[in-house]
């Protein structure tokens, strides 16, 4: 422990525009048709020494970033989405007011963060769950299709659900298909229940995502492919810290992931 806090080395800091360039080069937002703007959503101070990553730019995350004196926040779900009415009132005012008052930059990458082949939500979820992707499927190639990285024998839907609950530390909604031995697994993080039919067409024996809606339960039973919903938040916790940590290291600045628990 240092007795003289003045001697603590201060990271030199990253230029905001350079940081944005590196995020953009890594995640290539121009390749995607998305529901909101990717990149710098709220401009803060020009030099960044500390960056916090999280899933969603919620008020709780912003306040946690203020507490640790972050200069920037990097998230998967930013503030602005197509279809919003655009007024800065209520919760939007509360969030923006805190960012602007503390001059905190907000970087947000949605689909580009899901899709990155190594650091993205899907790739990192695969790492957490012990899967390797062999192919991609579905709209904008966002779905991943693969199997067990350790080449283990096919598992039952119940065993798969238990595995997911253990690794993600939360309950899983499971609708079993007909196939008793699951080897070919498809996954897509977040609210990707709409990818189920594409997963079935791609030959998956089970599909893992964050959320389930009513029609998918019937499709699982009728098409024989298991559907396992593990939580939108729980499946999208891994991409933002992976990207932010790598870029922070590149610039020699500090990074911390802050998980704001979300049951959904
Ligand atoms: Zn999401």
């Amino acid at each position: 422990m240092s007795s003289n806090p003045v001697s603590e080395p201060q990271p030199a800091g990253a230029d905001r525009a350079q940081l944005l360039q590196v995020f953009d080069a890594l995640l290539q937002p121009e390749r995607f048709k998305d529901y909101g703007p990717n990149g710098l959503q709220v401009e803060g101070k020009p030099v960044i020494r500390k960056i916090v990553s999280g899933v969603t730019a919620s008020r709780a995350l912003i306040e946690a970033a203020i507490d640790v004196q972050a200069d920037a926040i990097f998230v998967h779900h930013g503030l602005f989405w197509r279809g919003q009415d655009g007024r800065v009132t209520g919760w939007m005012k509360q969030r923006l007011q805190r960012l602007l008052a503390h001059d905190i930059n907000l970087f947000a990458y949605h689909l580009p963060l899901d899709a990155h082949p190594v650091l993205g939500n899907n790739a990192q979820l695969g790492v957490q769950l012990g899967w390797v992707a062999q192919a991609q499927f579905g709209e904008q190639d966002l779905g991943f299709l693969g199997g067990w990285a350790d080449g283990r024998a096919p598992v039952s839907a119940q065993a798969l659900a238990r595995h997911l609950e253990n690794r993600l530390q939360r309950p899983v909604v499971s609708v079993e298909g007909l196939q008793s031995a699951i080897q070919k697994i498809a996954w897509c993080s977040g609210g990707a229940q709409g990818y189920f039919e594409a997963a079935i067409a791609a030959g998956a024996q089970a599909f893992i995502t964050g959320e389930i809606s009513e029609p998918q339960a019937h499709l699982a039973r009728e098409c024989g492919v298991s559907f396992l919903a593990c939580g939108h938040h729980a499946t999208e916790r891994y991409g933002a810290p992976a990207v932010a940590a790598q870029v922070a290291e590149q610039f020699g600045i500090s990074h911390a992931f802050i998980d704001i628990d979300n049951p959904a």
Side-chain angles (χ1 to χ4, degrees):
M1 239 224 252
S2 168
S3 56
N4 178 11
V6 180
S7 68
E8 294 271 320
Q10 280 285 317
D15 177 75
R16 183 211 305 123
Q18 279 177 0
L19 207 56
L20 177 61
Q21 245 174 36
V22 169
F23 283 138
D24 277 346
L26 192 62
L27 297 170
Q28 304 178 4
E30 66 285 352
R31 289 178 43 227
F32 298 87
K33 263 199 308 209
D34 214 331
Y35 309 96
N38 286 298
L40 183 66
Q41 287 200 344
V42 179
E43 186 179 304
K45 54 193 78 167
V47 176
I48 292 148
R49 293 190 172 81
K50 181 165 200 166
I51 187 162
V52 152
S53 65
V55 178
T56 300
S58 62
R59 184 164 144 189
L61 179 67
I62 293 167
E63 287 176 344
I66 293 167
D67 284 346
V68 299
Q69 297 178 309
D71 309 303
I73 302 176
F74 180 92
V75 291
H76 180 48
H77 302 136
L79 286 182
F80 309 111
W81 301 100
R82 200 168 63 200
Q84 276 172 338
D85 74 7
R87 281 178 286 194
V88 182
T89 56
W91 59 269
M92 179 65 92
K93 181 218 164 173
Q94 297 296 334
R95 294 186 191 182
L96 272 174
Q97 185 177 47
R98 282 161 176 76
L99 288 171
L100 295 171
H102 294 269
D103 218 8
I104 296 176
N105 295 280
L106 176 66
F107 296 95
Y109 290 84
H110 184 235
L111 298 182
L113 185 62
D114 287 321
H116 190 278
V118 178
L119 301 170
N121 280 324
N122 285 326
Q124 290 291 317
L125 181 64
V127 170
Q128 293 295 324
L129 298 173
W131 302 335
V132 279
Q134 281 123 22
Q136 282 168 261
F137 70 92
E139 211 189 317
Q140 303 194 64
D141 266 346
L142 289 168
F144 280 37
L145 181 71
W148 299 99
D150 61 8
R152 76 180 71 175
V155 298
S156 67
Q158 293 103 311
L160 188 57
R162 276 199 303 276
H163 171 73
L164 290 164
E165 291 186 334
N166 284 337
R167 290 291 175 94
L168 300 175
Q169 287 295 297
R170 52 156 291 136
V172 163
V173 176
S174 171
V175 183
E176 279 180 45
L178 299 171
Q179 321 219 23
S180 53
I182 295 165
Q183 192 160 32
K184 231 176 170 190
I185 299 167
W187 69 98
C188 193
S189 67
Q193 57 269 63
Y195 277 65
F196 190 30
E197 283 180 84
I200 295 168
Q205 295 165 309
F207 179 62
I208 286 81
T209 185
E211 300 180 27
I212 184 165
S213 299
E214 197 271 354
Q216 283 90 43
H218 302 292
L219 290 178
R221 293 172 187 144
E222 291 169 25
C223 301
V225 177
S226 294
F227 191 110
L228 297 105
C230 311
H232 191 133
H233 174 87
T235 57
E236 296 199 319
R237 271 182 302 204
Y238 306 108
V243 168
Q246 175 170 305
V247 172
E249 198 189 334
Q250 193 177 327
F251 281 95
I253 62 174
S254 96
H255 162 253
F257 172 62
I258 297 180
D259 192 24
I260 306 294
D261 186 51
N262 188 330

